[in-house]
Amino acid sequence: MRTAVSDKALYFHYCSETDREGLLSDKIWNDLNGEALFARVDRTASAIGRQFLYKLLHYDRLSGVECLEKVIEEFSGDKAMRKEVQQTLQKLDTPDAYRIISLITEAHVLPVSWPIGWLYILQLLPFLFLGLLYVTSSVWFVPLLVLSVVGNLWLHYRNKSWMQTYSFSIPCLWRLLKLSGRLLRYPFAQTVDGNIADTLKTLRPLQKKLAVFRFSVRLESDMAILAWFVIEILNILLLREVISVAKAFRLLRGKRQELHTVFCFWGMVDILCSVAKLREELPYHTRPTDCREGESFHVGRLYHPLVEDCVPNSLTLCGQSVLITGSNMSGKTTFIRSVGVSVLCGKVLNTCFAETFRLLRGTTFSSAIHVEDDLLEGRSLFLQEVQVMKNMLEKGEAGHRLFLLDELFKGTNTIERIAIAKAVLSALARHGNIVFASTHDIELASLLADQYSLYHFCENVSDNKLQFDYLLKPGPVTERNAIRIIELYGYPSEVIEEAHHYADSHYHPLK
């Protein structure tokens, strides 16, 4: 049995092998705290819905939810209907239901791949030899009878051993088809997928074949030992399970596309219910819209959904990028992450964590918020930063991209860090791109003033306490409180004095 984390990612891993358009890198996923974000927005009721949502959140592109806003409004307005639908969805909220996608996507090698006609012949042989033995009374038919029974016994238990893997996932697939048909009674079903009724109709023969496995599991688990024994003998002699498995899996193999369609239909219905429920729990939210004339980006009272009692901030850009200065813990990185999270959820869930959110249509994003060295590959922090930023420069050439950057080139000396960061940030801000970059190097503020709007976060030190208001303020940071902070934390007086002396005598901003 896989872990719950790997189970929810099964569908994503299957899709990511062939569908690469807009796929977020592992680095971007981690930059946005993807696992925690998924847990925060997940209100799905089924294993399939959970897998479908996890997959959608890994792609920087529209998910289709934005076209189904009417259905979300129905779920928000009619909570009784939403509860009924979620109760139906919950019937596939089991560990075994995570394996449905494997039945649909993986190639299954049958334990008995012989033609069905041969199996029918083997099914009749014990009765044929038994009849001949009765009619002729010839002992020559005894070994043939025993051989045919032993052969069927071997086929039966070989098949049964193979079926252990599917003894619970197959009934879940049968249940998916049956319950999806139940969802057709709601008007929203045709809105989500106008062809779902026809698709389910073509899958009815498969549904009937799969029902055999459902009843088999039920008999083995619920009925008395005697009844089970009789049924097992009949299954062995008649190869009932072997033939049913062969037929069902051959039919399943030819219906993968239709099964995937049903899987996506179920997943989308679950996500629409989830979005309706999530929005009710948020302090406030908005749907993303296009920028107004002259704007390139706008957020009103933006907050981060993972930060409790997050202080909201607002910002409007008209062609320029953003350079944010300020000390550690003041809110720079959280604000930049808030932008990325709302861009992603705006596309996937049609829900942004703000009162207003406007972005130029077609904007995609990249991030370099948490870059580390790679010990296994033998790459230093600086080399990792060099490679990441080289990739971003290449992507920036196409234009209309949003870059989220935190403390560029931390792995090198101050003079070269400022020089390289200035050149890179200047290049990224071209071609209609928007850059959100944070830095401790306030020298960059004057160097990039023609391309970047300057903002800052700051802290207050009063009554020997460090306090943050987490409010985004225009202009570069004007206070230097780092030495004051180490003083508050009890550093030796001689260390404090030397730090003050050095800062006063050597601090000269670059011109």
Side-chain angles (χ1 to χ4, degrees):
M1 178 68 72
R2 296 173 182 251
T3 64
V5 173
S6 61
D7 282 343
K8 76 184 178 191
L10 283 174
Y11 182 54
F12 160 65
H13 287 308
Y14 162 71
C15 292
S16 63
E17 291 178 358
T18 55
D19 185 4
R20 311 294 295 180
E21 182 184 355
L23 178 64
L24 299 181
S25 67
D26 290 341
K27 183 184 68 63
I28 296 176
W29 179 251
N30 292 329
D31 281 348
L32 300 184
N33 305 114
E35 295 297 328
L37 176 63
F38 168 79
R40 177 69 179 88
V41 302
D42 176 30
R43 299 296 181 274
T44 54
S46 71
I48 293 175
R50 212 160 291 123
Q51 289 177 319
F52 201 67
L53 175 60
Y54 191 80
K55 176 257 183 178
L56 292 182
L57 283 173
H58 277 79
Y59 285 86
D60 176 24
R61 66 189 187 198
L62 295 175
S63 66
V65 170
E66 74 285 352
C67 300
L68 299 170
E69 189 63 36
K70 180 181 177 181
V71 179
I72 298 176
E73 292 174 358
E74 289 180 19
F75 285 139
S76 298
D78 191 343
K79 294 183 180 179
M81 178 190 71
R82 188 177 80 196
K83 185 176 180 180
E84 287 179 1
V85 172
Q86 288 180 318
Q87 287 175 342
T88 299
L89 296 170
Q90 284 172 350
K91 293 180 179 180
L92 283 178
D93 190 20
T94 65
D96 300 305
Y98 285 108
R99 307 301 300 174
I100 291 175
I101 189 61
S102 299
L103 289 171
I104 297 173
T105 60
E106 294 179 2
H108 306 283
V109 179
L110 292 172
V112 181
S113 56
W114 302 342
I116 298 294
W118 290 16
L119 295 178
Y120 280 128
I121 293 174
L122 292 174
Q123 180 188 52
L124 296 174
L125 284 180
F127 299 95
L128 174 64
F129 292 136
L130 181 62
L132 291 173
L133 177 63
Y134 176 78
V135 171
T136 64
S137 299
S138 174
V139 295
W140 291 103
F141 290 108
V142 173
L144 293 176
L145 173 62
V146 172
L147 184 63
S148 64
V149 172
V150 171
N152 285 3
L153 181 71
W154 177 78
L155 288 174
H156 172 78
Y157 280 103
R158 182 183 179 188
N159 181 76
K160 184 176 286 290
S161 175
W162 179 82
M163 276 299 297
Q164 292 298 318
T165 307
Y166 306 102
S167 59
F168 294 100
S169 56
I170 285 284
C172 285
L173 179 58
W174 175 85
R175 199 173 297 122
L176 169 64
L177 297 176
K178 180 182 179 182
L179 294 175
S180 294
R182 188 178 298 177
L183 292 177
L184 291 179
R185 61 180 175 149
Y186 297 101
F188 68 76
Q190 295 299 320
T191 304
V192 174
D193 185 343
N195 297 317
I196 189 60
D198 293 336
T199 301
L200 287 171
K201 185 176 180 180
T202 63
L203 290 171
R204 281 176 188 166
L206 175 61
Q207 184 178 343
K208 292 179 181 179
K209 295 294 182 185
L210 297 179
V212 173
F213 303 103
R214 169 181 176 262
F215 294 131
S216 176
V217 171
R218 186 173 182 84
L219 286 170
E220 291 178 11
S221 60
D222 291 349
M223 295 190 70
I225 297 296
L226 180 61
W228 174 86
F229 181 76
V230 171
I231 292 171
E232 189 73 358
I233 293 297
L234 290 175
N235 284 336
I236 293 170
L237 293 175
L238 299 175
L239 292 179
R240 174 177 170 272
E241 286 186 354
V242 175
I243 294 174
S244 296
V245 167
K247 285 184 175 180
F249 272 82
R250 282 174 171 81
L251 190 56
L252 186 150
R253 190 178 298 164
K255 296 294 184 180
R256 286 183 179 178
Q257 184 175 349
E258 291 85 351
L259 288 170
H260 188 219
T261 298
V262 176
F263 182 94
C264 293
F265 165 75
W266 183 280
M268 183 58 77
V269 170
D270 203 349
I271 285 179
L272 296 175
C273 285
S274 175
V275 170
K277 187 174 181 180
L278 171 67
R279 289 178 178 178
E280 293 172 356
E281 298 174 4
L282 295 174
Y284 53 88
H285 68 276
T286 189
R287 289 150 55 184
T289 57
D290 291 333
C291 285
R292 295 173 180 174
E293 186 175 355
E295 287 181 346
S296 55
F297 183 83
H298 165 83
V299 290
R301 289 180 55 78
L302 175 73
Y303 65 96
H304 198 301
L306 299 181
V307 177
E308 187 175 356
D309 298 323
C310 185
V311 175
N313 282 289
S314 301
L315 176 69
T316 300
L317 299 177
C318 298
Q320 286 197 311
S321 292
V322 177
L323 185 67
I324 305 173
T325 55
S327 62
N328 288 325
M329 303 185 298
S330 60
K332 304 189 305 297
T333 307
T334 298
F335 176 73
I336 290 174
R337 281 195 171 107
S338 299
V339 173
V341 165
S342 274
V343 170
L344 178 61
C345 289
K347 292 182 178 183
V348 174
L349 305 178
N350 205 33
T351 304
C352 297
F353 307 104
E355 285 187 350
T356 53
F357 195 98
R358 297 194 288 272
L359 183 69
L360 291 174
R361 186 183 296 272
T363 300
T364 56
F365 74 93
S366 294
S367 70
I369 295 175
H370 186 64
V371 182
E372 294 180 324
D373 58 0
D374 192 328
L375 181 64
L376 297 180
E377 293 291 333
R379 288 187 178 183
S380 67
L381 172 60
F382 180 66
L383 284 180
Q384 287 288 90
E385 291 176 314
V386 167
Q387 185 60 56
V388 168
M389 296 315 302
K390 180 178 182 292
N391 293 338
M392 287 197 175
L393 287 169
E394 293 172 352
K395 292 177 180 178
E397 289 293 325
H400 300 292
R401 199 166 187 92
L402 177 67
F403 293 102
L404 309 174
L405 313 174
D406 184 42
E407 298 294 337
L408 292 184
F409 302 108
K410 298 184 290 291
T412 190
N413 63 80
T414 302
I415 294 177
E416 290 185 301
R417 178 177 66 247
I418 294 172
I420 299 173
K422 190 274 176 189
V424 169
L425 289 173
S426 180
L428 289 177
R430 298 169 190 153
H431 308 297
N433 297 319
I434 301 173
V435 183
F436 281 78
S438 71
T439 183
H440 285 293
D441 298 316
I442 60 176
E443 297 88 344
L444 289 172
S446 58
L447 295 172
L448 295 168
D450 57 333
Q451 292 177 292
Y452 284 74
S453 297
L454 307 178
Y455 290 86
H456 72 275
F457 288 92
C458 63
E459 71 285 338
N460 296 315
V461 180
S462 61
D463 298 328
N464 291 326
K465 292 182 179 180
L466 184 63
Q467 298 176 333
F468 299 97
D469 60 16
Y470 305 110
L471 292 173
L472 183 68
K473 303 174 181 67
V477 67
T478 57
E479 298 292 332
R480 287 186 292 147
N481 289 323
I483 298 176
R484 177 65 176 132
I485 291 172
I486 68 171
E487 184 178 2
L488 289 176
Y489 277 81
Y491 274 52
S493 58
E494 60 270 20
V495 173
I496 303 297
E497 291 174 5
E498 184 174 348
H500 273 300
H501 175 75
Y502 187 86
D504 293 340
S505 59
H506 289 81
Y507 175 71
H508 300 288
L510 295 179
K511 301 285 176 111

